[in-house]
Amino acid sequence: MTSQVSSPAEQADGAGGAVVGGQRTPESPGGKEVRRLDRVIIRFAGDSGDGMQLTGDRFTSETASFGNDLSTLPNFPAEIRAPAGTLPGVSSFQLHFADHDILTPGDAPNVLVAMNPAALKANIGDLPRGAEIIINTDEFTKRPMAKVGYATSPLEDGSLDAYSLHPVPLTTLTVEALKEFGLSRKEAERSKNMFALGLLSWMYHRPTEGTEKFLRQKFAKKPEIAEANVVAFRAGWNFGETTEDFAVSYEVAPATRAFPTGTYRNISGNLALSYGLVAASQQADLPLYLGSYPITPASDILHELSKHKNFGVRTFQAEDEIAGIGAALGAAFGGALGVTTTSGPGVALKSEAIGLAVSLELPLLIVDIQRGGPSTGLPTKTEQADLLQAMFGRNGEAPVPIVAPRTPADCFDAALDAARIALTYRTPVFLLSDGYLANGSEPWRVPEVADLPDLKIKFAAGANHTLSDGTEVFWPYKRDPETLARPWAIPGTPGLEHRIGGIEKQDGTGNISYDPANHDLMVRTRQAKVDGIRVPDIDVDDPDGATTLVLGWGSTYGPITAAVRRLRGAGLPIAQAHLRHLNPFPRNLGAVLERYEKVVVPEMNLGQLATLIRAKYLVDAQSYNQVNGMPFKAEQLATVLKEAIDD
């Protein structure tokens, strides 16, 4: 879904809990009042089989096409199919959309669509007073309520009096709307998510043509099912228009002042990362080879790249993690841009092969979509706890550069940056995304091809060293004096035969060497190569000369920036800096840290970046940590940062 927007401007982030800026407008043609809002946070919640992710995706797509800025937070059950109607089986999708620049999915929903008692109970604690709740009353019978511990119906016991409650028999209305199709009740009930989507689309004046087209394409082989879903969707819209329970609908204008002029589309982190890898291979004029074993939440990259054979992309679904990276490293040896994708448990299995890539000094991208751990941990939840594993999780001295995107759209640029480093310096590179970025989405400005970096490299073509007797030979470990990168020789090229393998090589010749002095030289040279990688200086946002700096990395960017905006709006000075490059650090980072009396480092781990900062720069960085599988909330960080400023 793409849209055109223009007129750049910067506005304060509205990422928070309450709808603000409500404005009465004349009645709609249907006789109902229409109110204008500047932002709204909606959460769809139900059983994992209720289609909440599809519902959220469709609402998001239509919102993107309308031109709003947006940010999403899908939240999946950790079990593949938890028992129906239970708290572990609740699936939700949160969407924050606005008429201005926003950074997070929002702290607290203004609207909750609860498809069953479990969905209500799992999410009610996040709602502010006055929030709207749309409840599927058909599911609030004795047995489903007992499953989640409701002794009495929350629809009748007064526990929801603080909210604006809309009881809607979604299932009954859907079945009634589809009776002409001759479907069984069970089949008809499956479309209740489309009824809910139609109702919310009416409430917030979302376009409908895209969803109807999507449904007809999705169920093209079952046209009756496609039309049933379209009818359910329209029935939900019509219900909102005609029922007396919904007396008000809302408008959120397009965010025309939030973005530079260009063509935009809604994009998730994994999709942006996939496109970035394809773009990198095209800009390098190299075939892209992905060796991967499916693992949540990285599998979407394998699925997406498998669609792009027309760009010279080859994907290999390996039998295990070790085979996946082995194939990718072999492809790199053969002259391809080798990539392997995984999550934290897979990185552990790949560690020996990553060390081999360090020793071979071949370009390789290791994409780690981090999730909650250790071990299997929380497969569908987010975390930033693989930083130290990426930094040190190999035997011996095996330095690997680390790049971390900050937003879903930034995954595209981070992939290009990681490829630049890998190709220029002949080294494996970690690309650390996480589940929050991978599954979340936001508007992305589609770049012009002419603006993409040139990543072309030169393969070794002939002899590069002259022996004392005048003989010209090829030395596989003769280095570029600026980058310390060794030549990349395509196997089978006459005259470029050389040794390969994990045993230490002699400097220059590449012959096997057990000489202690040579090993010391090679270890230090590989470290110097990584230390010398050129990365941009870190930018500091400090308009007021603050004494406190908040330093982040990766996906904490949105919540941190939203919290900083809140504090500045309240007149409190605070500086912000965010790291993309974690190994090596930007060269000016030490000088930046020295300028501030206090440095606060929020992380979704137990303080891994803070540990590195303390060790390298001897700075008493204050660590603020969260490991509950969910991203930070802006209000939460604003409170912590205010305490740091006041302390």
Side-chain angles (χ1 to χ4, degrees), residues 75 101 159 164 221 233 235:
N75 190 8
D101 174 29
S159 60
S164 177
K221 295 181 179 179
F233 175 67

Side-chain angles (χ1 to χ4, degrees), residues 41-108:
I41 302 166
I42 298 175
R43 183 181 296 175
F44 298 93
D47 194 68
S48 57
D50 285 337
M52 293 296 93
Q53 303 304 321
L54 175 62
T55 305
D57 282 340
R58 289 313 313 158
F59 197 95
T60 299
S61 293
E62 298 298 356
T63 297
S65 69
F66 189 71
N68 295 119
D69 193 12
L70 60 88
S71 180
T72 69
L73 177 61
N75 190 8
F76 306 94
E79 299 180 36
I80 293 176
R81 189 65 176 94
T86 63
L87 293 175
V90 173
S91 175
S92 68
F93 188 105
Q94 183 163 307
L95 166 68
H96 183 192
F97 61 101
D99 65 1
H100 58 273
D101 174 29
I102 59 174
L103 296 159
T104 77
D107 287 357

